[in-house]
Amino acid sequence: EGVAFAGRVPSSICSRKTKGFQPMLTATSSVVSQLQRSIARAIFGKEDVIQLALITLLARGHLLIEDVPGVGKTTLAQALAKSFHCSFQRIQFTSDLLPSDVLGVSIYNPESREFEFRHGPIFANVVLADEINRTTPRTQSALLEAMNEAQVTVDGRTLPLPQPFLVIATQNPVEHHGTYPLPESQLDRFLMRIKMGYPSHETEKDILRSRATDESAGVLGPIADVADVLSMQESVTRVKVDSSLHDYALDIVNRTRKSDQLALGVSPRGTLMLQRAAQARAFLDGRDFCLPDDFKQLAVAVFAHRVVASARHASLQKKSESTENVLREIVDSVRVPL
């Protein structure tokens, strides 16, 4: 999968490299490698998941991790936050959590005779929204403006959030009791939805050995600072995307909209998110231009939570598995540009 272009790069892409960009890529490659190694000290055998988390961060997106408890969802978020100098807040979502518990609240100060705003945990560079589908839709919707515009509006005032700003939300499968499935509008704010999966036998054996020496996310040290991350995020936006890749992405998107197996296709926002993710993947790979494989390998992770399976097709299998299988078929059916 993903080798249809046989490693060839269109000459039009090669000729459009950004001046002075390649030396910067070389300078940051060591930082990126250190970040990956740092997170890998806490998350064993999940190099692909670590890469997707870093892609989300560098693409200025947000990450939704859906899986059963105990497979490392929270550990991944903590390891990513501890790998660079930043503020970090964890919100444990429960059924009685209120929007003010997330955004903050104005409290009257009798001495100054004025209301003072107390910032909520959303005012952090990395926010872990743990078990987000355990809370009510009212509280879930408190994150909409924050995730889409990096700001919140409280008591008629608009307050900017610190940059970079990343929400990593975890959720248990909706088949579990006491969950409130996220609506499509909320899911659309996440750049990607991924699954951790169970570790292999050897990987889990390594986990047992390492935890005996307390080698976990709690002992990780920062590799970069906020300025480094902001610089890399800006560099990602300058990664070149050839016109043929725009057509390739749109071909995939249009087939999702016309498929009789999907009741809802990918929106224009989803198309834009795929391009941003592809640019971040190219940057992590040390390139200043995108390849077809950047789009092909990320399409399912970026699109799966943005489409809805038709009632007939969804009844045959689980909802998440249904949309992912349909998307894989669509991606494989679209001709890769050479």
PDB file of all heavy atoms in Angstrom, residues 252-279:
ATOM      1  N   ILE A 252     -10.464  11.708  -4.382  1.00  0.00           N
ATOM      2  CA  ILE A 252     -10.850  10.874  -3.236  1.00  0.00           C
ATOM      3  C   ILE A 252     -12.080  11.459  -2.554  1.00  0.00           C
ATOM      4  O   ILE A 252     -13.042  10.750  -2.240  1.00  0.00           O
ATOM      5  CB  ILE A 252      -9.682  10.757  -2.237  1.00  0.00           C
ATOM      6  CG1 ILE A 252      -8.488  10.043  -2.883  1.00  0.00           C
ATOM      7  CG2 ILE A 252     -10.129  10.020  -0.979  1.00  0.00           C
ATOM      8  CD1 ILE A 252      -7.248  10.001  -2.012  1.00  0.00           C
ATOM      9  N   VAL A 253     -12.050  12.774  -2.322  1.00  0.00           N
ATOM     10  CA  VAL A 253     -13.156  13.440  -1.627  1.00  0.00           C
ATOM     11  C   VAL A 253     -14.455  13.314  -2.422  1.00  0.00           C
ATOM     12  O   VAL A 253     -15.519  13.005  -1.861  1.00  0.00           O
ATOM     13  CB  VAL A 253     -12.807  14.919  -1.391  1.00  0.00           C
ATOM     14  CG1 VAL A 253     -14.038  15.695  -0.925  1.00  0.00           C
ATOM     15  CG2 VAL A 253     -11.699  15.037  -0.355  1.00  0.00           C
ATOM     16  N   ASN A 254     -14.393  13.537  -3.725  1.00  0.00           N
ATOM     17  CA  ASN A 254     -15.603  13.470  -4.541  1.00  0.00           C
ATOM     18  C   ASN A 254     -16.199  12.069  -4.545  1.00  0.00           C
ATOM     19  O   ASN A 254     -17.432  11.912  -4.596  1.00  0.00           O
ATOM     20  CB  ASN A 254     -15.291  13.910  -5.976  1.00  0.00           C
ATOM     21  CG  ASN A 254     -15.056  15.404  -6.073  1.00  0.00           C
ATOM     22  OD1 ASN A 254     -15.623  16.181  -5.297  1.00  0.00           O
ATOM     23  ND2 ASN A 254     -14.233  15.822  -7.022  1.00  0.00           N
ATOM     24  N   ARG A 255     -15.367  11.056  -4.483  1.00  0.00           N
ATOM     25  CA  ARG A 255     -15.899   9.682  -4.458  1.00  0.00           C
ATOM     26  C   ARG A 255     -16.599   9.385  -3.132  1.00  0.00           C
ATOM     27  O   ARG A 255     -17.533   8.588  -3.093  1.00  0.00           O
ATOM     28  CB  ARG A 255     -14.773   8.679  -4.705  1.00  0.00           C
ATOM     29  CG  ARG A 255     -14.191   8.782  -6.105  1.00  0.00           C
ATOM     30  CD  ARG A 255     -13.462   7.537  -6.543  1.00  0.00           C
ATOM     31  NE  ARG A 255     -12.800   7.737  -7.826  1.00  0.00           N
ATOM     32  CZ  ARG A 255     -12.312   6.768  -8.584  1.00  0.00           C
ATOM     33  NH1 ARG A 255     -12.400   5.510  -8.177  1.00  0.00           N
ATOM     34  NH2 ARG A 255     -11.711   7.036  -9.732  1.00  0.00           N
ATOM     35  N   THR A 256     -16.145  10.017  -2.046  1.00  0.00           N
ATOM     36  CA  THR A 256     -16.861   9.832  -0.772  1.00  0.00           C
ATOM     37  C   THR A 256     -18.238  10.468  -0.828  1.00  0.00           C
ATOM     38  O   THR A 256     -19.180   9.988  -0.191  1.00  0.00           O
ATOM     39  CB  THR A 256     -16.068  10.431   0.406  1.00  0.00           C
ATOM     40  OG1 THR A 256     -16.025  11.866   0.309  1.00  0.00           O
ATOM     41  CG2 THR A 256     -14.653   9.890   0.454  1.00  0.00           C
ATOM     42  N   ARG A 257     -18.351  11.557  -1.584  1.00  0.00           N
ATOM     43  CA  ARG A 257     -19.641  12.249  -1.679  1.00  0.00           C
ATOM     44  C   ARG A 257     -20.621  11.526  -2.596  1.00  0.00           C
ATOM     45  O   ARG A 257     -21.836  11.686  -2.465  1.00  0.00           O
ATOM     46  CB  ARG A 257     -19.419  13.681  -2.177  1.00  0.00           C
ATOM     47  CG  ARG A 257     -18.571  14.529  -1.228  1.00  0.00           C
ATOM     48  CD  ARG A 257     -18.155  15.846  -1.860  1.00  0.00           C
ATOM     49  NE  ARG A 257     -17.284  16.611  -0.950  1.00  0.00           N
ATOM     50  CZ  ARG A 257     -16.638  17.724  -1.305  1.00  0.00           C
ATOM     51  NH1 ARG A 257     -16.763  18.190  -2.549  1.00  0.00           N
ATOM     52  NH2 ARG A 257     -15.873  18.344  -0.435  1.00  0.00           N
ATOM     53  N   LYS A 258     -20.111  10.732  -3.521  1.00  0.00           N
ATOM     54  CA  LYS A 258     -20.965  10.032  -4.475  1.00  0.00           C
ATOM     55  C   LYS A 258     -21.204   8.570  -4.109  1.00  0.00           C
ATOM     56  O   LYS A 258     -22.047   7.910  -4.720  1.00  0.00           O
ATOM     57  CB  LYS A 258     -20.343  10.097  -5.875  1.00  0.00           C
ATOM     58  CG  LYS A 258     -20.228  11.520  -6.429  1.00  0.00           C
ATOM     59  CD  LYS A 258     -19.520  11.532  -7.771  1.00  0.00           C
ATOM     60  CE  LYS A 258     -19.379  12.947  -8.314  1.00  0.00           C
ATOM     61  NZ  LYS A 258     -18.652  12.962  -9.625  1.00  0.00           N
ATOM     62  N   SER A 259     -20.468   8.051  -3.134  1.00  0.00           N
ATOM     63  CA  SER A 259     -20.582   6.641  -2.774  1.00  0.00           C
ATOM     64  C   SER A 259     -21.944   6.333  -2.165  1.00  0.00           C
ATOM     65  O   SER A 259     -22.429   7.055  -1.279  1.00  0.00           O
ATOM     66  CB  SER A 259     -19.473   6.265  -1.776  1.00  0.00           C
ATOM     67  OG  SER A 259     -19.648   4.946  -1.304  1.00  0.00           O
ATOM     68  N   ASP A 260     -22.576   5.251  -2.628  1.00  0.00           N
ATOM     69  CA  ASP A 260     -23.861   4.842  -2.064  1.00  0.00           C
ATOM     70  C   ASP A 260     -23.697   4.149  -0.716  1.00  0.00           C
ATOM     71  O   ASP A 260     -24.685   3.827  -0.048  1.00  0.00           O
ATOM     72  CB  ASP A 260     -24.611   3.939  -3.043  1.00  0.00           C
ATOM     73  CG  ASP A 260     -23.813   2.686  -3.403  1.00  0.00           C
ATOM     74  OD1 ASP A 260     -22.679   2.527  -2.908  1.00  0.00           O
ATOM     75  OD2 ASP A 260     -24.324   1.867  -4.197  1.00  0.00           O
ATOM     76  N   GLN A 261     -22.445   3.907  -0.318  1.00  0.00           N
ATOM     77  CA  GLN A 261     -22.186   3.305   0.987  1.00  0.00           C
ATOM     78  C   GLN A 261     -22.029   4.358   2.088  1.00  0.00           C
ATOM     79  O   GLN A 261     -21.952   4.020   3.258  1.00  0.00           O
ATOM     80  CB  GLN A 261     -20.906   2.454   0.929  1.00  0.00           C
ATOM     81  CG  GLN A 261     -20.989   1.297  -0.051  1.00  0.00           C
ATOM     82  CD  GLN A 261     -19.732   0.458  -0.050  1.00  0.00           C
ATOM     83  OE1 GLN A 261     -19.473  -0.311   0.879  1.00  0.00           O
ATOM     84  NE2 GLN A 261     -18.925   0.594  -1.092  1.00  0.00           N
ATOM     85  N   LEU A 262     -21.978   5.628   1.690  1.00  0.00           N
ATOM     86  CA  LEU A 262     -21.820   6.715   2.647  1.00  0.00           C
ATOM     87  C   LEU A 262     -23.000   7.672   2.545  1.00  0.00           C
ATOM     88  O   LEU A 262     -23.358   8.111   1.449  1.00  0.00           O
ATOM     89  CB  LEU A 262     -20.515   7.479   2.390  1.00  0.00           C
ATOM     90  CG  LEU A 262     -19.207   6.689   2.558  1.00  0.00           C
ATOM     91  CD1 LEU A 262     -18.016   7.547   2.163  1.00  0.00           C
ATOM     92  CD2 LEU A 262     -19.051   6.189   3.994  1.00  0.00           C
ATOM     93  N   ALA A 263     -23.596   7.996   3.696  1.00  0.00           N
ATOM     94  CA  ALA A 263     -24.697   8.960   3.721  1.00  0.00           C
ATOM     95  C   ALA A 263     -24.179  10.388   3.767  1.00  0.00           C
ATOM     96  O   ALA A 263     -24.883  11.319   3.386  1.00  0.00           O
ATOM     97  CB  ALA A 263     -25.589   8.689   4.938  1.00  0.00           C
ATOM     98  N   LEU A 264     -22.959  10.561   4.243  1.00  0.00           N
ATOM     99  CA  LEU A 264     -22.345  11.889   4.341  1.00  0.00           C
ATOM    100  C   LEU A 264     -20.892  11.787   3.904  1.00  0.00           C
ATOM    101  O   LEU A 264     -20.133  10.983   4.449  1.00  0.00           O
ATOM    102  CB  LEU A 264     -22.421  12.417   5.784  1.00  0.00           C
ATOM    103  CG  LEU A 264     -21.808  13.791   6.056  1.00  0.00           C
ATOM    104  CD1 LEU A 264     -22.595  14.873   5.325  1.00  0.00           C
ATOM    105  CD2 LEU A 264     -21.774  14.078   7.564  1.00  0.00           C
ATOM    106  N   GLY A 265     -20.517  12.589   2.896  1.00  0.00           N
ATOM    107  CA  GLY A 265     -19.152  12.580   2.398  1.00  0.00           C
ATOM    108  C   GLY A 265     -18.267  13.581   3.116  1.00  0.00           C
ATOM    109  O   GLY A 265     -18.686  14.233   4.081  1.00  0.00           O
ATOM    110  N   VAL A 266     -17.047  13.711   2.655  1.00  0.00           N
ATOM    111  CA  VAL A 266     -16.062  14.595   3.273  1.00  0.00           C
ATOM    112  C   VAL A 266     -16.368  16.043   2.908  1.00  0.00           C
ATOM    113  O   VAL A 266     -16.635  16.365   1.739  1.00  0.00           O
ATOM    114  CB  VAL A 266     -14.635  14.219   2.827  1.00  0.00           C
ATOM    115  CG1 VAL A 266     -13.612  15.195   3.399  1.00  0.00           C
ATOM    116  CG2 VAL A 266     -14.313  12.790   3.253  1.00  0.00           C
ATOM    117  N   SER A 267     -16.302  16.929   3.880  1.00  0.00           N
ATOM    118  CA  SER A 267     -16.556  18.351   3.676  1.00  0.00           C
ATOM    119  C   SER A 267     -15.297  19.048   3.172  1.00  0.00           C
ATOM    120  O   SER A 267     -14.193  18.483   3.236  1.00  0.00           O
ATOM    121  CB  SER A 267     -16.990  18.999   4.992  1.00  0.00           C
ATOM    122  OG  SER A 267     -15.907  18.984   5.925  1.00  0.00           O
ATOM    123  N   PRO A 268     -15.443  20.295   2.662  1.00  0.00           N
ATOM    124  CA  PRO A 268     -14.249  21.053   2.258  1.00  0.00           C
ATOM    125  C   PRO A 268     -13.246  21.228   3.400  1.00  0.00           C
ATOM    126  O   PRO A 268     -12.041  21.253   3.160  1.00  0.00           O
ATOM    127  CB  PRO A 268     -14.829  22.401   1.823  1.00  0.00           C
ATOM    128  CG  PRO A 268     -16.207  22.068   1.329  1.00  0.00           C
ATOM    129  CD  PRO A 268     -16.688  20.982   2.248  1.00  0.00           C
ATOM    130  N   ARG A 269     -13.739  21.332   4.636  1.00  0.00           N
ATOM    131  CA  ARG A 269     -12.817  21.418   5.770  1.00  0.00           C
ATOM    132  C   ARG A 269     -11.958  20.159   5.858  1.00  0.00           C
ATOM    133  O   ARG A 269     -10.767  20.216   6.139  1.00  0.00           O
ATOM    134  CB  ARG A 269     -13.582  21.614   7.079  1.00  0.00           C
ATOM    135  CG  ARG A 269     -12.670  21.934   8.280  1.00  0.00           C
ATOM    136  CD  ARG A 269     -13.284  21.447   9.585  1.00  0.00           C
ATOM    137  NE  ARG A 269     -14.594  22.031   9.817  1.00  0.00           N
ATOM    138  CZ  ARG A 269     -14.798  23.172  10.492  1.00  0.00           C
ATOM    139  NH1 ARG A 269     -13.797  23.839  10.999  1.00  0.00           N
ATOM    140  NH2 ARG A 269     -16.044  23.629  10.653  1.00  0.00           N
ATOM    141  N   GLY A 270     -12.568  19.010   5.598  1.00  0.00           N
ATOM    142  CA  GLY A 270     -11.820  17.764   5.632  1.00  0.00           C
ATOM    143  C   GLY A 270     -10.737  17.712   4.568  1.00  0.00           C
ATOM    144  O   GLY A 270      -9.639  17.209   4.814  1.00  0.00           O
ATOM    145  N   THR A 271     -11.031  18.246   3.382  1.00  0.00           N
ATOM    146  CA  THR A 271     -10.031  18.292   2.318  1.00  0.00           C
ATOM    147  C   THR A 271      -8.841  19.136   2.731  1.00  0.00           C
ATOM    148  O   THR A 271      -7.683  18.767   2.515  1.00  0.00           O
ATOM    149  CB  THR A 271     -10.648  18.864   1.025  1.00  0.00           C
ATOM    150  OG1 THR A 271     -11.887  18.221   0.760  1.00  0.00           O
ATOM    151  CG2 THR A 271      -9.713  18.663  -0.149  1.00  0.00           C
ATOM    152  N   LEU A 272      -9.124  20.289   3.325  1.00  0.00           N
ATOM    153  CA  LEU A 272      -8.056  21.173   3.791  1.00  0.00           C
ATOM    154  C   LEU A 272      -7.233  20.517   4.887  1.00  0.00           C
ATOM    155  O   LEU A 272      -6.000  20.641   4.920  1.00  0.00           O
ATOM    156  CB  LEU A 272      -8.657  22.486   4.292  1.00  0.00           C
ATOM    157  CG  LEU A 272      -7.673  23.542   4.816  1.00  0.00           C
ATOM    158  CD1 LEU A 272      -6.695  23.957   3.729  1.00  0.00           C
ATOM    159  CD2 LEU A 272      -8.426  24.756   5.351  1.00  0.00           C
ATOM    160  N   MET A 273      -7.909  19.782   5.795  1.00  0.00           N
ATOM    161  CA  MET A 273      -7.197  19.110   6.873  1.00  0.00           C
ATOM    162  C   MET A 273      -6.256  18.038   6.337  1.00  0.00           C
ATOM    163  O   MET A 273      -5.162  17.834   6.859  1.00  0.00           O
ATOM    164  CB  MET A 273      -8.190  18.479   7.854  1.00  0.00           C
ATOM    165  CG  MET A 273      -9.040  19.462   8.642  1.00  0.00           C
ATOM    166  SD  MET A 273      -8.070  20.560   9.716  1.00  0.00           S
ATOM    167  CE  MET A 273      -8.050  22.061   8.732  1.00  0.00           C
ATOM    168  N   LEU A 274      -6.671  17.347   5.272  1.00  0.00           N
ATOM    169  CA  LEU A 274      -5.808  16.321   4.687  1.00  0.00           C
ATOM    170  C   LEU A 274      -4.549  16.970   4.111  1.00  0.00           C
ATOM    171  O   LEU A 274      -3.444  16.427   4.258  1.00  0.00           O
ATOM    172  CB  LEU A 274      -6.552  15.560   3.596  1.00  0.00           C
ATOM    173  CG  LEU A 274      -5.739  14.494   2.853  1.00  0.00           C
ATOM    174  CD1 LEU A 274      -5.212  13.430   3.810  1.00  0.00           C
ATOM    175  CD2 LEU A 274      -6.558  13.841   1.744  1.00  0.00           C
ATOM    176  N   GLN A 275      -4.689  18.104   3.464  1.00  0.00           N
ATOM    177  CA  GLN A 275      -3.511  18.771   2.916  1.00  0.00           C
ATOM    178  C   GLN A 275      -2.566  19.211   4.020  1.00  0.00           C
ATOM    179  O   GLN A 275      -1.349  19.034   3.917  1.00  0.00           O
ATOM    180  CB  GLN A 275      -3.923  19.990   2.084  1.00  0.00           C
ATOM    181  CG  GLN A 275      -2.730  20.810   1.599  1.00  0.00           C
ATOM    182  CD  GLN A 275      -3.113  21.903   0.631  1.00  0.00           C
ATOM    183  OE1 GLN A 275      -3.366  21.641  -0.529  1.00  0.00           O
ATOM    184  NE2 GLN A 275      -3.159  23.144   1.118  1.00  0.00           N
ATOM    185  N   ARG A 276      -3.101  19.772   5.100  1.00  0.00           N
ATOM    186  CA  ARG A 276      -2.248  20.201   6.203  1.00  0.00           C
ATOM    187  C   ARG A 276      -1.529  19.021   6.842  1.00  0.00           C
ATOM    188  O   ARG A 276      -0.343  19.109   7.187  1.00  0.00           O
ATOM    189  CB  ARG A 276      -3.094  20.944   7.253  1.00  0.00           C
ATOM    190  CG  ARG A 276      -3.448  22.358   6.826  1.00  0.00           C
ATOM    191  CD  ARG A 276      -4.489  22.995   7.703  1.00  0.00           C
ATOM    192  NE  ARG A 276      -4.176  22.932   9.121  1.00  0.00           N
ATOM    193  CZ  ARG A 276      -4.955  23.463  10.071  1.00  0.00           C
ATOM    194  NH1 ARG A 276      -6.081  24.057   9.733  1.00  0.00           N
ATOM    195  NH2 ARG A 276      -4.618  23.380  11.337  1.00  0.00           N
ATOM    196  N   ALA A 277      -2.225  17.903   6.982  1.00  0.00           N
ATOM    197  CA  ALA A 277      -1.597  16.706   7.549  1.00  0.00           C
ATOM    198  C   ALA A 277      -0.510  16.178   6.618  1.00  0.00           C
ATOM    199  O   ALA A 277       0.562  15.752   7.068  1.00  0.00           O
ATOM    200  CB  ALA A 277      -2.651  15.630   7.800  1.00  0.00           C
ATOM    201  N   ALA A 278      -0.762  16.204   5.304  1.00  0.00           N
ATOM    202  CA  ALA A 278       0.229  15.734   4.332  1.00  0.00           C
ATOM    203  C   ALA A 278       1.474  16.619   4.362  1.00  0.00           C
ATOM    204  O   ALA A 278       2.601  16.121   4.266  1.00  0.00           O
ATOM    205  CB  ALA A 278      -0.376  15.715   2.931  1.00  0.00           C
ATOM    206  N   GLN A 279       1.285  17.924   4.505  1.00  0.00           N
ATOM    207  CA  GLN A 279       2.422  18.833   4.603  1.00  0.00           C
ATOM    208  C   GLN A 279       3.251  18.534   5.851  1.00  0.00           C
ATOM    209  O   GLN A 279       4.488  18.537   5.809  1.00  0.00           O
ATOM    210  CB  GLN A 279       1.938  20.286   4.629  1.00  0.00           C
ATOM    211  CG  GLN A 279       1.398  20.796   3.310  1.00  0.00           C
ATOM    212  CD  GLN A 279       0.826  22.190   3.432  1.00  0.00           C
ATOM    213  OE1 GLN A 279      -0.110  22.440   4.202  1.00  0.00           O
ATOM    214  NE2 GLN A 279       1.392  23.121   2.685  1.00  0.00           N
TER     215      GLN A 279
END
